[in-house]
Amino acid sequence: QVQLVESGGGLVQAGGSLRLSCAASGRTFSTYIMKWFRQAPGKEREFVTAISRSGGTTDYADSVRGRFTISRDNAKNTVYLQMNNLKPEDTALYYCAADSTHWALNRRDEYDYWGQGTQVTVSS
């Protein structure tokens, strides 16, 4: 059983920054593609970003490319999401997910484990 715990959310003004963290349990973190998703009330779940097992390859949704940066520290079993120049439309519950099945990042919406999320609210 893999446990994922997100932290770092909060309230920030438009143009500000936040860094989210996702800490994973277990011994196999480095074998997972790690992803971030977000969901606002009344909205569909939205893919945000993904990172390969070693951290050498990343993928971003068009809406966040250039503003968000995903990274990972396999020694700490942690994946991060640095969010800069935040906009009100970024307001959502952000959760991380682990994909243990694939080698490539093209299967954006597939994952095997997920956390409970951390709330990000961006005021105008």
Side-chain angles (χ1 to χ4, degrees):
Q1 186 176 11
V2 176
Q3 302 287 335
L4 301 172
V5 180
E6 301 94 336
S7 62
L11 175 64
V12 64
Q13 292 185 345
S17 298
L18 286 172
R19 189 178 77 155
L20 308 184
S21 298
C22 174
S25 65
R27 303 177 181 176
T28 56
F29 177 79
S30 63
T31 71
Y32 304 150
I33 293 171
M34 295 301 298
K35 306 176 181 180
W36 287 93
F37 294 85
R38 65 187 184 185
Q39 188 168 24
K43 303 290 186 180
E44 296 292 330
R45 181 200 65 181
E46 179 186 14
F47 169 83
V48 177
T49 183
I51 189 167
S52 62
R53 294 171 297 144
S54 67
T57 306
T58 57
D59 180 32
Y60 296 94
D62 290 343
S63 59
V64 306
R65 186 176 294 111
R67 299 187 297 120
F68 291 9
T69 303
I70 188 172
S71 61
R72 67 191 297 163
D73 186 340
N74 287 344
K76 297 180 178 179
N77 273 23
T78 302
V79 62
Y80 304 95
L81 182 63
Q82 178 67 46
M83 305 184 294
N84 297 328
N85 192 25
L86 283 161
K87 305 176 183 297
E89 51 263 45
D90 296 319
T91 295
L93 181 69
Y94 285 71
Y95 59 94
C96 65
D99 178 358
S100 64
T101 304
H102 307 101
W103 287 75
L105 303 184
N106 59 307
R107 301 290 188 93
R108 281 185 166 186
D109 296 327
E110 298 186 22
Y111 51 87
D112 304 293
Y113 310 99
W114 59 94
Q116 295 302 307
T118 184
Q119 179 67 39
V120 172
T121 303
V122 184
S123 62
S124 60

